[in-house]
Amino acid sequence: MAVMINVPETAAPGEVVEVKIIISHPMETGFRTGSDGKLVPRNIIHELTCRYMGQEVFRAELHPAVAANPFFSFFVTAQESGEVELSWVDEAGETVTETRPIEVG
Amino acid sequence: MAGQVERAEGGAAPRLRPPRDICRKARWSGAVVAAVLAGAAGAQDGRVSTYEQMAPELRAMQDDDFSNPGLLWAQTGEELWAEPSGADEVACAECHGAAEEMAGVAAHYPDWDEESGQAVDLAARINLCRQRHQGAEPLERGSEALLALTTLVALQSRGQPIAPSEAPQMEAVRGQGEALYSTRMGQLNLACATCHDDLAGGRLLAAEIPQAHPTGYPQYRLEWQEMGDLDRRLRNCMVGVRAEPFAAGSQEFVALEAYLKARAVGMEMEAPAIRP
C-alpha cells in the first residue's frame, strides 16, 4: 500500500505545523458491480488517527462517499521532539501504522 | 502504413507542423482568453494546457506532490524499477541507473522502434524493454504495474518541453495521426477536430472543451479515481461519439498520440497531471 506522509522534519517550539497524508486505497463503496455482475464487497478505510507525544491529536471517520486515495491535511502544535504516528484501518481488516520523526527546538 | 515508409537516412529533420488552427484562436471564449492573458505557460501562440482551465483547487492538487495521487503510482514505480524481474532476473535500474537518468525521455515519445519497425509509445517501450532485456512477459496495457512504471518515467520529464521524436519514420506516423484526428467517426459523426479545434474553449454541458494537448499523461482523473493512459482518455472520447474504440496500444492510438504531441510541441510536460 503506497502512502505519502509529510511531517516537517524540524519545527520551533509552539509552531503550528501541517501534517499531510495521502493513502493509496480503492475506497470500494460496496455499491459497484464487478465484471461477474456481483457486488464488489465494501472496503473503505473507516478510521484514521494521529498520535503525537502519546496523545491522540487527530481522528477522522470516513464514509463510502469519500473518494479513492483519500488525502488528509491537519495542523498540530509542535511541542517536543518525537514521533508523529499515523494509523488507519480498513474493512478488509488491514491496519497500517506509519511514524515520522519531528525535531522540535 | 508507417511500417512501409522508406528510411530517409541523413535526410532533413522532420518538419513539425504548428497547430493548424492558430488563426482560429482569436475567436476563443473569454475564459480561455483570460487564462492566456493571465500569463499561462506557452500561451503566446494561443495554445493552452487544460491545467489553465481547471479550478484553482485542482491546480493546487496537481502542484503539491503531497496531494497529487499520481505520485503514489510513481512511488510504486520506484519499487518496480529496483526489483529484478523476468527470467533474466534483472531490474530496470541495473541498466538505466536511477529513475532520474530518464529525464527528458518521455518528452519525445512516441518514438520509432527499429527492431520491430513500428512506432511505439512509452508504455509499449517499457514492455519491449521487459521482453528484450528482462526476459519478462509484457505487462497488460492499463495495468497498475505498467501505469506505475510509465508514471515514474514520465515524472522525470516534468517541466520539460514536449520535443517530438526526430526519427524520419515518425513523420508518416504523425500524418496518419493527423488524418485520424480529422476523420469523422461514430454515430454522432464527429472528428476529434470538430470539438478540440473548432469548439475548444466552448462548453460541453458543464465541462469546458479542452484543446487536447497531451501534456500530462499518464494522468489522474477524478472521474476515474486512478491513473490512466492517453489510450484510455481517447477511448473515452470515442465511446462518447459512439464509435468503436481502437484497441489499447494499437497503432491508431500511437499515431494519434504522435500527432497530438507534435501539435503540442514545446508545451510543458506535467505528468502526472490531475484532471477533473
Side-chain angles (χ1 to χ4, degrees):
Chain A
M1 186 185 287
V3 58
M4 294 190 297
I5 300 172
N6 185 28
V7 176
E9 283 171 16
T10 55
E15 188 182 341
V16 176
V17 297
E18 186 177 12
V19 175
K20 289 191 271 197
I21 172 168
I22 181 164
I23 306 166
S24 170
H25 196 279
M27 293 295 283
E28 194 59 62
T29 60
F31 296 113
R32 299 197 311 161
T33 48
S35 49
D36 57 0
K38 291 186 184 139
L39 282 181
V40 180
R42 184 173 120 162
N43 179 20
I44 62 169
I45 295 173
H46 57 81
E47 191 176 88
L48 175 127
T49 53
C50 176
R51 297 175 66 82
Y52 171 51
M53 300 190 308
Q55 191 184 330
E56 186 175 292
V57 290
F58 177 82
R59 173 196 291 270
E61 269 179 37
L62 284 75
H63 298 275
V66 175
N69 309 310
F71 168 75
F72 305 87
S73 149
F74 52 90
F75 295 87
V76 173
T77 308
Q79 285 168 17
E80 50 189 68
S81 298
E83 305 242 288
V84 174
E85 180 190 293
L86 288 139
S87 58
W88 58 95
V89 54
D90 73 9
E91 287 173 328
E94 190 178 6
T95 306
V96 183
T97 302
E98 292 271 343
T99 58
R100 292 290 182 276
I102 181 167
E103 198 171 309
V104 180
Chain B
M1 267 304 288
Q4 291 153 1
V5 174
E6 283 179 28
R7 290 199 56 207
E9 292 212 319
R15 192 173 53 86
L16 299 178
R17 291 183 202 85
R20 63 215 195 103
D21 53 344
I22 284 177
C23 53
R24 293 199 195 109
K25 299 294 193 283
R27 284 196 270 128
W28 279 1
S29 77
V32 171
V33 173
V36 170
L37 292 179
Q44 276 93 351
D45 54 10
R47 289 180 306 168
V48 54
S49 161
T50 312
Y51 175 86
E52 308 293 342
Q53 301 175 338
M54 296 197 304
E57 294 83 356
L58 287 185
R59 279 186 263 164
M61 186 176 175
Q62 175 173 325
D63 292 341
D64 180 356
D65 281 355
F66 282 103
S67 72
N68 182 340
L71 273 293
L72 292 168
W73 270 258
Q75 191 179 329
T76 307
E78 285 276 7
E79 287 161 21
L80 295 171
W81 187 260
E83 187 181 284
S85 182
D88 300 348
E89 283 290 317
V90 55
C92 309
E94 285 173 51
C95 296
H96 294 290
E100 287 76 22
E101 298 290 322
M102 307 305 279
V105 170
H108 72 258
Y109 269 82
D111 204 349
W112 188 256
D113 179 55
E114 292 287 347
E115 208 171 317
S116 60
Q118 59 179 6
V120 292
D121 63 8
L122 188 58
R125 166 62 68 207
I126 290 170
N127 268 339
L128 284 176
C129 213
R130 282 178 62 79
Q131 289 167 280
R132 288 172 188 167
H133 307 298
Q134 294 181 304
E137 288 295 309
L139 296 165
E140 196 190 329
R141 295 285 305 195
S143 64
E144 190 91 2
L146 188 55
L147 282 170
L149 280 168
T150 316
T151 305
L152 177 68
V153 175
L155 173 66
Q156 312 308 323
S157 298
R158 189 162 62 170
Q160 297 201 16
I162 291 177
S165 162
E166 291 183 0
Q169 297 92 336
M170 289 305 292
E171 187 62 14
V173 177
R174 282 190 276 268
Q176 194 196 353
E178 183 172 11
L180 282 170
Y181 185 82
S182 354
T183 304
R184 288 180 175 270
M185 52 180 87
Q187 287 180 322
L188 300 191
N189 202 29
L190 294 170
C192 312
T194 319
C195 292
H196 297 289
D197 279 354
D198 298 351
L199 297 171
R203 294 212 166 256
L204 179 64
L205 301 179
E208 187 165 344
I209 300 173
Q211 293 178 14
H213 296 301
T215 50
Y217 289 91
Q219 68 180 206
Y220 189 93
R221 292 188 75 81
L222 300 188
E223 61 173 332
W224 296 340
Q225 299 201 18
E226 60 184 353
M227 293 295 279
D229 53 18
L230 182 61
D231 283 16
R232 183 171 177 186
R233 180 65 192 83
L234 293 173
R235 282 202 300 278
N236 204 333
C237 259
M238 292 185 77
V239 169
V241 301
R242 293 170 207 159
E244 180 78 35
F246 302 129
S250 61
Q251 280 297 293
E252 285 91 345
F253 278 148
V254 176
L256 267 170
E257 179 177 358
Y259 170 62
L260 291 175
K261 282 275 171 64
R263 195 168 158 272
V265 61
M267 293 178 78
E268 200 175 286
M269 296 276 290
E270 343 166 13
I274 303 288
R275 293 292 182 263

